[in-house]
Amino acid sequence: MSIVAIIRSGERSTQARLAAEALRLAAQRRQLPIDIEIDGQPALSAGQIAAAGHVLLIGEEDDARLGRRAARRATLDAVLADPAGQLQAQEAGRALRIVAVTSCPTGIAHTFMAAEGLVQGAKALGHAIRVETQGSVGAQDALSDAEIAAADLVIIAADTQVAVERFAGKRLFKSGTKAAIGDGKALIRHAIEEAQPWAGASPAAAEAANQEKAKDGPYRHLMTGVSFMLPFVTAGGILIALAFALGGIYAFDDAHKGTLAWSLFQIGAKSAFALMVPILAGYIAYSIADRPGIAPGMVGGMLAASLGSGFLGGIAAGFIAGYGTRELNRRIKLGQHLDGLKPVLILPVLGSLLTGLLMIYVVGQPVAAVLAALTEALKGMQGSSALALGALLGAMMAFDMGGPVNKAAYAFATGLIASQVYTPMAAVMAAGMTPPLGLALATRLFRNRFSADEREAGKAAGVLGLAFISEGAIPFAARDPLRVIPALMAGSALAGAISMTMGVQLKVPHGGVFVLPIPNAVEHLGGYLIALAAGTAVTALLLGLLKKPLPQTAG
């Protein structure tokens, strides 16, 4: 789409030239071709005007060359105040072709809720959109090269690192999933206004990418590592549970060698679990430094595991490898012909050396001591200490239901599985199931507190709660946060406290009720069910107490 801007300055020639330059810069950022005429110079022909997609008249009421052609009018002051806004308004009448990618750490709820938010937002604004979801089973509805080539705008709504190399040359905008879930229409408007051309693999683009990653902060890098680690935790936990179910708690010893139980233990504990910390560290480093960071990160993760520093050491190794490799990449300049050696030879070697030496001589032993103390403290927790930790983890799980606080509690519990500490994981999963289950129960017990749409949504929330998808409670919390969130936090805190106090252990980090029947996946299953039932009941009762009857359904 091309734009023609015709400016008449009157007695404000300086302001007219400033406005023209501001429009050129704004159009350049948005990759929009623009022709500008100021007081007849350089004169635009009637043919040029007719061929333009849009015409913007600034400082004059009409132009004979337009004939019956529609044009948008603006003042010099309006253009000087907001040139990008004038271009956005100029585009408002045109349906854009948008492609998007959504992704979240667990790849389950937020990924697809963000996609739905973007689809609904684009529909409301009259734009066409295709969304690729990078969930727990990989990319679905993958964008084709032709769709990317035809797109006017690319939106990345993700809480993990998403590869953007294929979008080189396109206007690209990044955000988290929360913005897309909360108000997809507003996010699309924001993206249309602020998206910047992505220059692909050029040196300038690489530097821009590094600056963008620096803005992301440690949280997103940690969540990227956790998202790649989760499948290994899940697979290993279930296989270990099955091994114990078939061969007893000593299925791993030499007396059972060659049996199916022994083999399952080798796959689960000696392979899947052994990869957890290296994968965590490797993909934290990948999130920070792209592919050159993977090898140093995984090397550091293996050293963390061998030094006994566990998931805490893996996190440290990932950040050391990521930031160290990124800094090496920035500082080492080999020239155009030798730069190809950096990602395959120089950065992996130097990054691994830097990370390895720091892990062995500086970081590894102190972190191992901290982890050992934490592990012993958690294993020995009883009474009020266990109750307090369980209540804290439970309240964190319900505070933002998939947001940073929730993910911090979840990452803490998941990481401890690698150190054979399973009680926090049980508390976290019980607390994460409680909000949607409590809401589902409340919509049945206190029907006059909820609209017909909410009562229908309560059914879906119940199913999501059974699968340990806390995000099923988000629509209710968004509509009435001051009443709903405290009720959810109270129920989840109770569920977490009961679970920790009763010593419930969970070896699998996800799955909800669907992993409970697996032998040995949960220890003290009865206690887990009591915690879940108590938390759900308290949430439902508090919702009934705090929410007032709706006028149209009261009585």
Side-chain angles (χ1 to χ4, degrees), residues 173-546:
F173 182 82
K174 289 185 177 181
S175 83
T177 57
K178 185 176 181 180
I181 294 169
D183 192 343
K185 187 162 66 170
L187 174 59
I188 291 173
R189 285 191 179 126
H190 196 48
I192 291 172
E193 182 178 348
E194 297 194 8
Q196 298 291 328
W198 177 252
S202 67
E207 182 63 26
N210 283 339
Q211 292 175 0
E212 184 69 27
K213 287 174 183 291
K215 293 178 186 176
D216 287 344
Y219 173 76
R220 177 169 291 191
H221 305 317
L222 175 61
M223 287 300 105
T224 299
V226 170
S227 70
F228 279 96
M229 180 185 75
L230 279 178
F232 294 86
V233 184
T234 304
I238 290 176
L239 290 171
I240 290 170
L242 290 174
F244 289 156
L246 293 174
I249 61 172
Y250 298 108
F252 56 87
D253 63 21
D254 290 341
H256 293 82
K257 190 170 184 178
T259 64
L260 178 60
W262 181 88
S263 299
L264 290 174
F265 188 85
Q266 300 305 307
I267 298 169
K270 303 296 186 182
S271 300
F273 263 27
L275 287 168
M276 283 167 48
V277 175
I279 290 293
L280 172 66
Y283 280 94
I284 289 173
Y286 161 76
S287 179
I288 299 167
D290 283 320
R291 282 177 291 181
I294 291 180
M298 288 194 175
V299 169
M302 286 294 291
L303 284 168
S306 65
L307 292 169
S309 56
F311 84 100
L312 292 179
I315 292 172
F319 282 109
I320 291 170
Y323 288 117
T325 303
R326 193 175 74 181
E327 189 65 17
L328 288 169
N329 189 27
R330 190 176 70 85
R331 291 183 178 275
I332 296 174
K333 306 293 184 184
L334 298 178
Q336 182 178 357
H337 299 294
L338 294 177
D339 262 351
L341 293 175
K342 285 168 63 176
V344 296
L345 175 62
I346 295 169
L347 294 178
V349 172
L350 294 182
S352 298
L353 182 63
L354 171 68
T355 307
L357 290 175
L358 285 175
M359 287 300 298
I360 292 172
Y361 291 111
V362 180
V363 177
Q365 294 301 329
V367 174
V370 171
L371 181 66
L374 176 64
T375 300
E376 288 304 312
L378 289 170
K379 285 183 176 179
M381 263 191 178
Q382 294 179 356
S384 60
S385 298
L387 186 146
L389 178 61
L392 174 63
L393 291 174
M396 290 173 69
M397 289 298 292
F399 176 71
D400 53 3
M401 289 157 290
V405 177
N406 169 287
K407 287 295 187 290
Y410 183 70
F412 171 75
T414 305
L416 287 170
I417 292 178
S419 301
Q420 291 79 50
V421 179
Y422 305 114
T423 49
M425 190 68 247
V428 160
M429 191 161 89
M433 294 170 68
T434 296
L437 289 176
L439 277 160
L441 181 60
T443 58
R444 299 296 297 272
L445 296 179
F446 309 104
R447 294 174 62 85
N448 63 345
R449 267 74 165 174
F450 300 91
S451 66
D453 288 342
E454 287 176 324
R455 292 196 298 271
E456 192 63 29
K459 300 175 184 177
V463 174
L464 293 173
L466 291 174
F468 181 35
I469 298 176
S470 307
E471 290 86 346
I474 288 176
F476 298 88
R479 290 183 184 181
D480 191 6
L482 295 181
R483 292 183 179 91
V484 172
I485 292 178
L488 303 184
M489 290 179 65
S492 291
L494 178 63
I498 293 174
S499 177
M500 281 291 295
T501 303
M502 299 184 74
V504 181
Q505 297 187 23
L506 176 68
K507 298 182 174 69
V508 186
H510 219 294
V513 296
F514 303 103
V515 300
L516 301 185
I518 299 173
N520 298 306
V522 183
E523 289 191 18
H524 307 302
L525 178 58
Y528 185 87
L529 295 176
I530 291 170
L532 187 60
T536 300
V538 166
T539 294
L541 292 172
L542 285 175
L543 286 167
L545 179 66
L546 295 174

Side-chain angles (χ1 to χ4, degrees), residues 19-61:
E21 185 61 26
L23 284 174
R24 284 194 184 94
L25 291 173
Q28 182 181 1
R29 284 196 294 268
R30 302 171 66 130
Q31 292 186 311
L32 296 174
I34 188 169
D35 293 310
I36 301 176
E37 177 186 292
I38 305 176
D39 295 329
Q41 299 296 326
L44 299 174
S45 67
Q48 283 179 290
I49 295 172
H54 295 285
V55 177
L56 180 62
L57 292 178
I58 303 168
E60 71 168 359
E61 291 299 318

